[in-house]
Amino acid sequence: MRKSVILSLLLALIIPFMAMARDEMKYTPQGTHFELLTLGNAKAVKLRLYDAGIAGKVIKTVNLKSAKQADGYLLWSADVKGDLKGKFYTFSVKYGGKWLAETPGVWAKAVGVNGRRGAIVDMRDTDPGDWERDRRPHIAPNDLVIYEMHHRDFSIDASSGLEHKGKFLALTEPPAIEHLLQLGVNAVHILPSFDYASVDESHLELNKYNWGYDPLNYNVPEGGYSTDPANPNARIREFKEMVQALHRVGIKVVLDVVYNHTFNIEGSNFQLTMPDEFFRKNADGTYSNGSGCGNETASEREVMRQYMIESVKYWVDEYHIDGFRFDLMGVHDIETMNAIRQALPKDIFIYGEGWSAGSCAYPNEKLGMKAHMKQMPGIAAFSDDTKPAFLAGLPGYEESIKMGIVGAISHPQVDYSKVNYSKEPWCLQPTQMISYVSCHDDMCLVDRLKASIPGITTDELIRLDLLAQTAVLTSQGVPFILSGEEMLRTKQGVHNSYESPDEINHLDWNGIERHPQVMAYYQGLIAMRHRHPAFHMGLADLVRQHLSFLPTQKCVVAFHIDGRGIKRESWNDIYVVLNANKKAVTIDVPQGPYAVVCRSGVCSERGLGSVQGGKVTVPAQSALIFHN
Ligand code: CA
């Protein structure tokens, strides 16, 4: 903590002229201070106070006073006497002769229903009991197993047995916690949970679904996931209760953040405060659309860069968030991503999508693309090279799988010229690579397998599913699983399910009983990974030193890890063989005997027998893991 304080002080010295109005509303029982930062040519700023979060009459209007800042911006402020707790506010800014629409500002920390007005709250009222004792679990990046989930998918179906369906509070319920612990994941990555625009919080009975990649208020939890969106305190308190419940059992909480674009331009709080200051434009004056969502923010500008830094720091300080997943990180510039890394404590895990959805109005070589990860140490990116074509039994993907196994670092036995997309190693350290075969975006694993192998039987589907996750969970990268894969989830073939109904997106918890082998295998594999540091060494040099590949055969990737000298590793020689062929194959290993811990879709450290070494047979479409 101390280090981060010093770092913040240093940063404050480096950027002396950057005014940040992180507290646009500061409440005390005696009075409330309001301030808003605008462009230098703003003519006036009005504050309006309301009794309600939506509709109803203005109860007071206040004209703010301006003070010119060294960076040219104007800081407008006003103090309103009396206890305003429970009231709501908006700002309106006048540029030229025109008043812009009302906005809660860019730094609202509490809002009314649908996020249109700021709410005056005492943040200490939102802390659950014992919140001051809540601590982020200490888990090194190489020890993480991440579980990506959407609040509604996870709990909405009756089969979940959870009470708070589609709510933050579902993750506080014992059956939910129990499930995560049984599976063995130690980080929950929650899809956008800041206040987003696409679901009408005043009509939740319509059961409208959205992933939530349409930001409205970046620093407030989404109202639709609270039990009472009209009560500004509810969403904040319930979000904290969720974090607290997960932290109590040693599970980290990762927030999916979407600073690369806003829901729209005209209605965005950025635009209603500082027109065009936060967005990139093309040479012809039109807005650039690198996000594919109609606009893209300009992280390279000091105002946006500082906004992002302060915003993630706020989530860490106020909500005890453990990590961030940056949506379309390739829209942000490298310098900003590195500044964010520097500004956050070391144990905060940062990763992102190393791509954009369209071309950006900024030089590509300066953007946070996957190919530039070596310039962003301490930040990870999703590996899109390891998608499961290998599983369909198609030859030619072996080197891509090998790249995934080593965590996209340079390794003498990986021929990058044959890797799917990346023609060179893109990570300095294996923890810079997120290893996965499915995420919320695109098809889930079951649907992808069905699409790649027409007429696939359930047995084959399960075999390949387990084989795919074995590649994920024996990778030196950071493993990442989409929620519900352990239940053999299907989205009925829908790949872009961002607004599909619950019938498509929900988890069917009966899948656990229907396919107990799948859950058991995932559990066994994750438990084995946790117990054996050989599978997550964390450092590129160690991986190069201890991990070597056996000769590649068609649709077979086999490797050996020498466990000797790896701290806390109890196994000596570990062999992992991934066989995607429809027939058994044979590999050559030194004479054993070896204990088998994974074979034919069963993964357990006990009772799977032994192999003698020499020629070892690996059953079709499955993984074999053994050790001595
Ligand atoms: Ca919302």
Side-chain angles (χ1 to χ4, degrees):
M1 276 325 268
R2 195 160 184 86
K3 252 187 202 158
S4 74
V5 169
I6 296 167
L7 204 59
S8 317
L9 287 173
L10 278 174
L11 279 173
L13 288 173
I14 296 164
I15 316 151
F17 303 128
M18 191 59 220
M20 274 311 299
R22 180 162 147 175
D23 290 310
E24 286 173 349
M25 183 282 296
K26 225 179 211 165
Y27 164 85
T28 71
Q30 293 73 41
T32 301
H33 177 78
F34 295 91
E35 60 182 45
L36 188 75
L37 197 66
T38 68
L39 296 177
N41 62 345
K43 297 286 182 255
V45 175
K46 234 189 245 308
L47 170 79
R48 290 182 178 85
L49 295 174
Y50 297 88
D51 276 322
I54 199 161
K57 285 202 180 106
V58 179
I59 53 171
K60 193 180 177 86
T61 304
V62 180
N63 293 312
L64 276 65
K65 289 202 172 64
S66 69
K68 200 161 182 85
Q69 305 297 294
D71 53 16
Y73 293 125
L74 293 176
L75 185 63
W76 299 79
S77 63
D79 289 289
V80 181
K81 287 208 173 88
D83 193 340
L84 297 183
K85 191 191 278 187
K87 307 291 183 201
F88 295 84
Y89 66 94
T90 63
F91 298 103
S92 184
V93 187
K94 189 181 185 183
Y95 284 103
K98 194 180 154 221
W99 284 98
L100 301 184
E102 291 173 69
T103 168
V106 299
W107 262 110
K109 291 167 181 164
V111 292
V113 68
N114 283 331
R116 292 296 166 195
R117 291 176 187 163
I120 300 170
V121 303
D122 181 342
M123 287 305 277
R124 298 291 65 82
D125 292 344
T126 67
D127 294 344
D130 265 353
W131 180 243
E132 68 287 351
R133 296 231 296 268
D134 179 73
R135 293 290 177 272
R136 298 195 304 270
H138 285 292
I139 304 168
N142 56 315
D143 297 337
L144 289 170
V145 177
I146 301 173
Y147 185 79
E148 183 202 40
M149 56 161 280
H150 183 283
H151 298 290
R152 204 172 165 94
D153 295 9
F154 186 73
S155 55
I156 201 71
D157 194 61
S159 63
S160 73
L162 297 168
E163 185 190 337
H164 298 96
K165 294 192 165 48
K167 306 295 180 189
F168 295 132
L169 289 181
L171 279 171
T172 66
E173 295 181 46
I177 298 268
E178 183 70 11
H179 177 70
L180 298 173
L181 290 176
Q182 271 185 12
L183 184 58
V185 296
N186 56 17
V188 167
H189 156 166
I190 50 177
L191 255 65
S193 296
F194 50 77
D195 182 27
Y196 61 81
S198 54
V199 169
D200 183 351
E201 298 174 5
S202 64
H203 288 287
L204 294 180
E205 75 285 356
L206 299 176
N207 288 315
K208 215 180 149 211
Y209 179 96
N210 208 287
W211 281 341
Y213 292 93
D214 43 76
L216 199 56
N217 292 290
Y218 282 105
N219 305 295
V220 188
E222 161 60 18
Y225 298 140
S226 79
T227 56
D228 185 3
N231 172 359
N233 284 23
R235 60 178 78 187
I236 302 175
R237 172 187 289 269
E238 291 168 10
F239 190 107
K240 289 176 177 175
E241 286 176 17
M242 166 187 74
V243 172
Q244 185 178 46
L246 291 166
H247 281 180
R248 276 187 177 143
V249 294
I251 295 176
K252 282 181 173 281
V253 181
V254 173
L255 203 59
D256 194 336
V257 288
V258 190
Y259 297 107
N260 66 81
H261 73 276
T262 55
F263 175 60
N264 58 15
I265 296 177
E266 326 74 72
S268 93
N269 297 321
F270 288 155
Q271 199 68 354
L272 294 174
T273 312
M274 294 191 183
D276 288 357
E277 194 73 349
F278 289 90
F279 297 103
R280 287 190 191 131
K281 284 188 167 182
N282 298 311
D284 64 1
T286 56
Y287 290 100
S288 184
N289 184 20
S291 70
C293 299
N295 63 77
E296 98 200 29
T297 56
S299 59
E300 71 282 6
R301 289 194 209 146
E302 216 42 49
V303 67
M304 184 64 197
R305 177 175 294 160
Q306 289 306 313
Y307 185 78
M308 289 169 69
I309 293 172
E310 290 300 319
S311 181
V312 289
K313 279 167 65 181
Y314 175 69
W315 282 101
V316 171
D317 295 345
E318 184 68 34
Y319 291 94
H320 305 178
I321 288 299
D322 302 273
F324 298 94
R325 175 266 190 196
F326 282 80
D327 184 60
L328 300 182
M329 184 166 70
V331 170
H332 303 313
D333 67 304
I334 294 170
E335 198 179 333
T336 297
M337 290 311 301
N338 284 333
I340 288 170
R341 175 67 283 174
Q342 289 300 312
L344 292 175
K346 266 196 179 149
D347 68 309
I348 301 290
F349 189 55
I350 303 175
Y351 54 105
E353 292 181 305
W355 51 77
S356 62
S359 63
C360 296
Y362 201 65
N364 184 73
E365 67 272 17
K366 295 184 177 176
L367 292 172
M369 297 290 181
K370 193 184 81 175
H372 305 150
M373 294 314 293
K374 286 180 177 174
Q375 298 173 58
M376 295 184 274
I379 299 176
F382 288 91
S383 169
D384 55 353
D385 295 276
T386 49
K387 297 255 171 90
F390 172 78
L391 298 171
L394 299 175
Y397 292 92
E398 296 83 3
E399 294 303 309
S400 299
I401 299 296
K402 286 166 68 180
M403 182 220 78
I405 294 297
V406 299
I409 57 165
S410 73
H411 186 286
Q413 289 176 293
V414 180
D415 181 354
Y416 276 85
S417 71
K418 293 179 186 157
V419 168
N420 200 7
Y421 303 127
S422 304
K423 298 304 173 196
E424 55 181 70
W426 50 273
C427 294
L428 292 171
Q429 298 295 347
T431 47
Q432 282 188 281
M433 192 197 89
I434 301 291
S435 173
Y436 75 116
V437 283
S438 61
C439 66
H440 72 277
D441 213 350
D442 221 323
M443 288 189 194
C444 55
L445 184 52
V446 163
D447 292 351
R448 182 178 287 278
L449 287 167
K450 282 184 178 167
S452 338
I453 307 171
I456 189 172
T457 64
T458 304
D459 282 353
E460 186 177 15
L461 183 74
I462 292 177
R463 280 200 299 277
L464 294 179
D465 181 292
L466 304 184
L467 178 61
Q469 299 290 15
T470 314
V472 169
L473 285 154
T474 58
S475 160
Q476 298 292 326
V478 177
F480 172 106
I481 301 167
L482 170 65
S483 69
E485 298 292 23
E486 74 278 22
M487 306 170 189
L488 219 58
R489 167 189 204 171
T490 170
K491 293 197 289 179
Q492 317 298 339
V494 179
H495 66 101
N496 191 8
S497 63
Y498 78 101
E499 58 173 5
S500 299
D502 294 334
E503 300 89 85
I504 298 296
N505 281 307
H506 76 266
L507 303 195
D508 176 2
W509 288 64
N510 293 323
I512 300 175
E513 281 178 23
R514 210 177 295 131
H515 307 289
Q517 180 199 0
V518 176
M519 175 73 182
Y521 189 91
Y522 282 33
Q523 272 180 277
L525 200 52
I526 294 172
M528 183 182 75
R529 182 180 176 94
H530 284 316
R531 273 196 294 271
H532 293 280
F535 294 112
H536 46 112
M537 290 180 250
L539 294 172
D541 284 338
L542 289 177
V543 175
R544 283 187 284 266
Q545 193 185 325
H546 291 270
L547 191 151
S548 57
F549 291 94
L550 277 62
T552 303
Q553 304 178 41
K554 184 175 96 55
C555 297
V556 177
V557 168
F559 58 96
H560 166 253
I561 306 176
D562 182 356
R564 299 169 192 86
I566 298 175
K567 246 186 237 166
R568 293 179 293 113
E569 181 53 68
S570 56
W571 292 348
N572 291 329
D573 294 294
I574 305 167
Y575 288 92
V576 178
V577 190
L578 308 170
N579 176 18
N581 289 290
K582 284 195 167 186
K583 55 178 180 30
V585 296
T586 306
I587 56 152
D588 290 302
V589 297
Q591 281 303 323
Y594 303 95
V596 176
V597 288
C598 176
R599 179 160 52 195
S600 301
V602 181
C603 184
S604 166
E605 286 191 35
R606 279 176 216 163
L608 296 186
S610 62
V611 286
Q612 287 313 309
K615 290 219 179 297
V616 173
T617 300
V618 187
Q621 297 181 313
S622 68
L624 179 71
I625 306 177
F626 52 92
H627 69 90
N628 63 14

